[in-house]
Amino acid sequence: MLACRDYIDAAEEDRVVSLGGGARDILLPFTVAVLARLEKIDSVLFFSDLDGSVEEWRLPRLTTAVSSSVRDTLAVVVAADETTLPELAEQLDASKSTITRHIEELVSSGALESWREGKVKHVRPTLTGRLLVE
C-alpha cells in the first residue's frame, strides 16, 4: 500500500487510476492508497472484464473530518435524506449564515451535494456524508 501511495504522490501529470482489469494481488492495497490520496486523483475508472466497458466512478472520501457543530448539521441532512437550507436553519435553530458555512464546508469535503431551485438551496448527503454520521 505504501508503494502504491508513493506512485500516486510521484505522478506529475493527471492522475487517472483504474480499479478494474488489473492484477488482483495489488487491487486491495492500490484501492486503499487511492482512497487515502483521493484529493490527488483526477479520475477513477473501472474496466469490466466481462463486457469491456469503462465507467468513471466517484469514490467516497474516507479521510474527511468535520467539527461537531458541522457534524450536527450533517446528521440532520442524512436523517432527512434531502432538505433545504431554510428547513435546516429552522430545524437546528441556527442562523442561515451559520448553516450556509456548514453546508459550504460539507460540500467542499465531499459529504454533501448541493443545488439551487430558484432561490432555494437544496442539499443531500453523499456516501462520504453517510459514512461520517454512522
Side-chain angles (χ1 to χ4, degrees), residues 100-121:
T100 298
R101 281 194 315 275
H102 290 182
I103 297 303
E104 287 172 357
E105 181 179 337
L106 290 164
V107 168
S108 70
S109 71
L112 293 181
E113 296 175 338
S114 71
W115 68 97
R116 287 199 172 276
E117 289 183 13
K119 294 183 178 183
V120 179
K121 188 173 214 168

Side-chain angles (χ1 to χ4, degrees), residues 5-96:
R5 181 206 59 196
D6 292 344
Y7 283 119
I8 291 169
D9 290 346
E12 295 178 9
E13 299 293 325
D14 289 347
R15 294 175 177 106
V16 178
V17 299
S18 175
L19 297 180
R24 302 294 181 227
D25 56 335
I26 66 162
L27 181 61
L28 180 60
F30 182 64
T31 302
V32 171
V34 167
L35 289 169
R37 291 292 197 257
L38 198 54
E39 73 281 354
K40 294 184 176 191
I41 304 297
D42 297 297
S43 185
V44 178
L45 304 176
F46 177 78
F47 172 76
S48 171
D49 291 341
L50 299 176
D51 63 9
S53 65
V54 177
E55 295 178 37
E56 185 164 3
W57 282 2
R58 290 183 56 199
L59 298 179
R61 293 184 189 171
L62 301 178
T63 57
T64 297
V66 295
S67 68
S68 62
S69 61
V70 173
R71 187 181 305 272
D72 292 343
T73 301
L74 176 61
V76 171
V77 175
V78 168
D81 196 46
E82 184 180 306
T83 190
T84 65
L85 190 137
E87 290 169 347
L88 281 171
E90 183 179 324
Q91 192 167 0
L92 291 165
D93 193 28
S95 69
K96 287 184 182 179

